[in-house]
Amino acid sequence: MLPGAKPDWDYVTLDPVRGFLFIGRRADGVTVWDVRSNRVVRTIEKSEEAGAVILVPEFDRGYTANEDGSTTIFRLSTLATIDRVKFGDDSDSGFFDPVTKQIAFTMGDSHKIAFVDAKTGRPAGDLSIDSKKLDGTAPDGEGNLFMALRDRNAVLKIDVKSHAVVARWNTDGCEQPTGIAYDRGGKRIFVGCRGTKPVLAVMDATSGKVISTHEIGRGNDGVVYDSEARRVYTSNGVDANLVIYDQLDADTYVLSEATTTRPYARTMALDPKTKKVYLVTAEGTADPVMKINKAVAPFYPNRYYPDTFTVLTFAPHE
């Protein structure tokens, strides 16, 4: 359990080499948690309002996505902050493209994506998007990003080099697409869908066609694909479960297990070597005096209790 007067969070990112879990805790900044010794290593300086962390080991850099439209750049090897740089007016998350070496920062309130050079930290351009809910994003390894538009029931294919949308596909049978992962070998996009019928949608990355859908829990915010194990993980905060599917081939999926987690543990990180899954959550309440996000759940917490923030670890069966 981690201390904090007003727990809040969004995404988690794992550095599997060092065993560090980077947790975007918004007002509390980025907490670095050692998953091997189960202790806090440090808080990244000048990372207040951070909701996500993007790691770029080849440049020994880490970048945060801060709500005020800035990024805190730090050295991955020492965790020392280098600078806090403004690139826009808001930011939700960020995603690294390994081909162009650019980071795409999603800016829902501004209806656009800001691109930043991951080596220098300098702005590289932007792209306007007709959406306020720019959600999960995954690189295809060929210079493109697949991005979910939760309020448009669509997935975009974005050419990062040209900063242009090259395809837009409707997510038929998938309402409120949120988390995304990609299978490069099978050319399949995995999309977590939050709608009235929560499902994992499997899309053809060439045509954009939805091949199949598979039941998951409510409140999805994370999808991870393990190419080695050929397994798809979905973290679902409202139903408090981790629903996992085995991939038999590109178009065939069977339920592996549905493990109970904790309420509102909605984002996750997978260690590709140990196969452990890390999630975070806190105890909260839906205070009727404050606005409740009923689009997620009728009693979705809008206030969390002090000193209840928790890191959860799930290991595979022996």
Side-chain angles (χ1 to χ4, degrees):
M1 192 169 292
L2 283 68
K6 294 182 179 180
D8 198 1
W9 72 96
D10 212 338
Y11 298 98
V12 294
T13 304
L14 181 70
D15 176 357
V17 175
R18 297 171 178 83
F20 289 168
L21 186 69
F22 294 82
I23 309 168
R25 297 182 66 190
R26 300 193 189 278
D28 290 329
V30 173
T31 296
V32 185
W33 175 262
D34 188 322
V35 300
R36 295 166 184 164
S37 61
N38 290 322
R39 66 182 181 90
V40 173
V41 176
R42 76 163 55 180
T43 297
I44 301 296
E45 294 181 359
K46 300 180 181 179
S47 66
E48 296 81 9
E49 301 183 61
V53 176
I54 307 94
L55 304 181
V56 191
E58 63 185 286
F59 299 136
D60 191 26
R61 291 290 185 271
Y63 289 79
T64 68
N66 305 328
E67 289 181 315
D68 67 351
S70 69
T71 179
T72 304
I73 308 171
F74 62 93
R75 202 174 302 280
L76 186 55
S77 57
T78 65
L79 305 180
T81 294
I82 298 170
D83 200 0
R84 180 163 173 149
V85 179
K86 189 87 168 171
F87 58 79
D89 296 324
D90 60 281
S91 182
D92 306 305
S93 190
F95 306 90
F96 176 64
D97 172 52
V99 175
T100 63
K101 314 299 182 186
Q102 293 184 35
I103 298 171
F105 288 97
T106 55
M107 304 166 62
D109 290 346
S110 299
H111 299 262
K112 67 180 181 179
I113 302 166
F115 296 93
V116 170
D117 185 300
K119 184 176 182 179
T120 65
R122 296 171 185 160
D126 55 46
L127 172 63
S128 295
I129 303 291
D130 180 26
S131 171
K132 287 190 67 174
K133 298 294 183 181
L134 285 62
D135 247 310
T137 301
D140 69 352
E142 299 176 14
N144 303 294
L145 295 174
F146 297 113
M147 179 177 291
L149 303 185
R150 195 196 324 160
D151 56 350
R152 295 291 184 262
N153 291 338
V155 168
L156 301 182
K157 181 178 181 180
I158 299 168
D159 183 311
V160 181
K161 183 178 180 180
S162 64
H163 302 157
V165 175
V166 294
R168 177 174 176 143
W169 302 306
N170 293 330
T171 54
D172 298 332
C174 162
E175 296 178 353
Q176 299 180 30
T178 308
I180 274 193
Y182 182 61
D183 168 18
R184 186 177 182 184
K187 295 194 179 298
R188 292 293 180 264
I189 308 168
F190 304 112
V191 187
C193 312
R194 274 192 192 174
T196 54
K197 182 183 177 183
V199 294
L200 171 72
V202 181
M203 299 180 67
D204 185 310
T206 302
S207 67
K209 179 183 177 181
V210 175
I211 303 297
S212 60
T213 59
H214 309 272
E215 187 176 8
I216 60 173
R218 293 175 298 161
N220 174 264
D221 210 1
V223 178
V224 172
Y225 175 64
D226 182 348
S227 60
E228 182 182 63
R230 300 187 68 182
R231 183 165 286 175
V232 187
Y233 297 77
T234 68
S235 52
N236 313 295
V238 175
D239 278 339
N241 59 26
L242 184 66
V243 179
I244 307 168
Y245 281 91
D246 286 330
Q247 180 190 53
L248 303 187
D249 58 47
D251 295 333
T252 309
Y253 300 82
V254 296
L255 180 67
S256 173
E257 63 178 294
T259 299
T260 300
T261 57
R262 289 268 299 276
Y264 310 111
R266 63 185 189 272
T267 55
M268 64 176 160
L270 170 72
D271 187 320
K273 184 176 181 180
T274 67
K275 309 304 182 185
K276 290 182 178 179
V277 178
Y278 301 96
L279 307 96
V280 294
T281 190
E283 301 296 330
T285 184
D287 187 340
V289 176
M290 303 165 60
K291 182 180 179 180
I292 299 172
N293 188 357
K294 295 190 176 184
V296 178
F299 303 107
Y300 193 72
N302 52 19
R303 180 166 59 85
Y304 293 94
Y305 298 123
D307 302 326
T308 64
F309 192 78
T310 305
V311 178
L312 308 174
T313 304
F314 291 84
H317 299 300
E318 296 294 337

